[in-house]
Amino acid sequence: MLPHPGSPPVRWRVAPGYVSYPQALAEMDRLAEAIAAGNEDELVWLLEHPPLYTAGTSARPEDLVDGQRFPIFQSGRGGQFTYHGPGQRVAYVMLDLKRRAPDVRRYVAALEEWLIRSLAAFNVRGERREDRVGVWVRRPFREGEGEDKIAAIGIRVRRWVTMHGVSLNVEPDLAHFTGIVPCGVRDHGVTSLVDLGLPVSMEDVDLALRREFEAVFGPTVAD
């Protein structure tokens, strides 16, 4: 999903420490308006949040298992409940689809492709599923062949500028996911790169994410 020829590179920002969810929402709102108005270039913002749950526009009350465990935020993105926390790389992607292709389904497929290619850099085979969004890995060594979710996707599009984005589980505390039914999926689990036996650093993941983002979406420049 490359930009039109002559478009400026996408700014690439990596936040130190933890970013609060309200702060992230406010910054995304500001940036999306500026990008839509032509006053800012596109941006990918990589960060980590402190432990929290977010509710998408399709979140169901029965999927909140433990509402007292962590703060809960209404996100405004599509989808259901999800968890964010330390050890999980969140990438907020603010692209102007008018500069690319005004096609939301194509954009979601491009996000999946980006994650799948990034996982392949660590010899992990990520897969799509027709009936649920995100990226999945098979777990044949569990009792019966199963699969777990390793990356989630949740987006919002306003004036053809994308907001929210993806989260990739590098080394989060997987027990933190038990306070919700992640993305409303009850029949499958959640995994991470470290859970798969790959002790990679967040820096390693960021390098793979940037390289594969450029392959799918075009050049970047440090913000």
Side-chain angles (χ1 to χ4, degrees):
M1 200 173 196
L2 298 173
H4 297 159
S7 297
V10 177
R11 292 176 295 145
W12 191 267
R13 178 187 299 176
V14 182
Y18 299 137
V19 178
S20 75
Y21 199 71
Q23 178 187 346
L25 289 182
E27 179 71 349
M28 272 196 290
D29 279 338
R30 184 190 71 80
L31 287 165
E33 286 297 323
I35 292 168
N39 297 326
E40 292 268 11
D41 292 333
E42 298 170 306
L43 174 73
V44 174
W45 185 17
L46 271 59
L47 54 81
E48 289 177 85
H49 285 304
L52 57 92
Y53 296 132
T54 68
T57 55
S58 301
R60 298 175 298 193
E62 63 268 27
D63 288 344
L64 181 60
V65 178
D66 184 355
Q68 304 301 314
R69 190 168 191 180
F70 298 125
I72 303 164
F73 296 94
Q74 299 296 319
S75 69
R77 59 162 173 79
Q80 302 184 44
F81 280 106
T82 193
Y83 166 77
H84 293 314
Q88 182 190 70
R89 177 52 88 205
V90 174
Y92 290 130
V93 183
M94 286 152 274
L95 301 182
D96 187 350
L97 296 186
K98 297 191 304 295
R99 306 181 197 178
R100 298 169 180 273
D103 184 328
V104 174
R105 287 189 179 185
R106 183 176 170 188
Y107 171 63
V108 171
L111 291 177
E112 291 175 335
E113 178 66 18
W114 172 32
L115 289 166
I116 289 169
R117 293 173 68 113
S118 299
L119 289 168
F122 304 103
N123 296 314
V124 174
R125 181 179 176 181
E127 299 179 351
R128 294 179 173 91
R129 292 293 178 265
E130 290 296 326
D131 58 338
R132 52 190 190 272
V133 176
V135 177
W136 302 78
V137 294
R138 296 180 185 272
R139 301 295 294 263
F141 52 84
R142 289 195 173 174
E143 184 177 340
E145 182 168 345
E147 58 188 26
D148 292 339
K149 192 171 195 175
I150 195 167
I153 297 173
I155 69 163
R156 181 181 180 184
V157 179
R158 188 169 65 202
R159 296 174 62 191
W160 288 113
V161 175
T162 66
M163 300 170 66
H164 299 274
V166 306
S167 58
L168 176 61
N169 296 332
V170 181
E171 193 179 5
D173 185 339
L174 296 180
H176 289 179
F177 286 86
T178 60
I180 57 171
V181 178
C183 303
V185 178
R186 298 177 180 275
D187 299 331
H188 304 286
V190 180
T191 190
S192 68
L193 287 170
V194 169
D195 185 48
L196 293 172
L198 298 166
V200 301
S201 69
M202 195 67 77
E203 291 75 17
D204 292 333
V205 171
D206 288 350
L207 287 171
L209 284 170
R210 186 170 184 178
R211 182 178 64 248
E212 300 308 331
F213 179 92
E214 291 184 336
V216 176
F217 292 101
T220 65
V221 62
D223 186 54

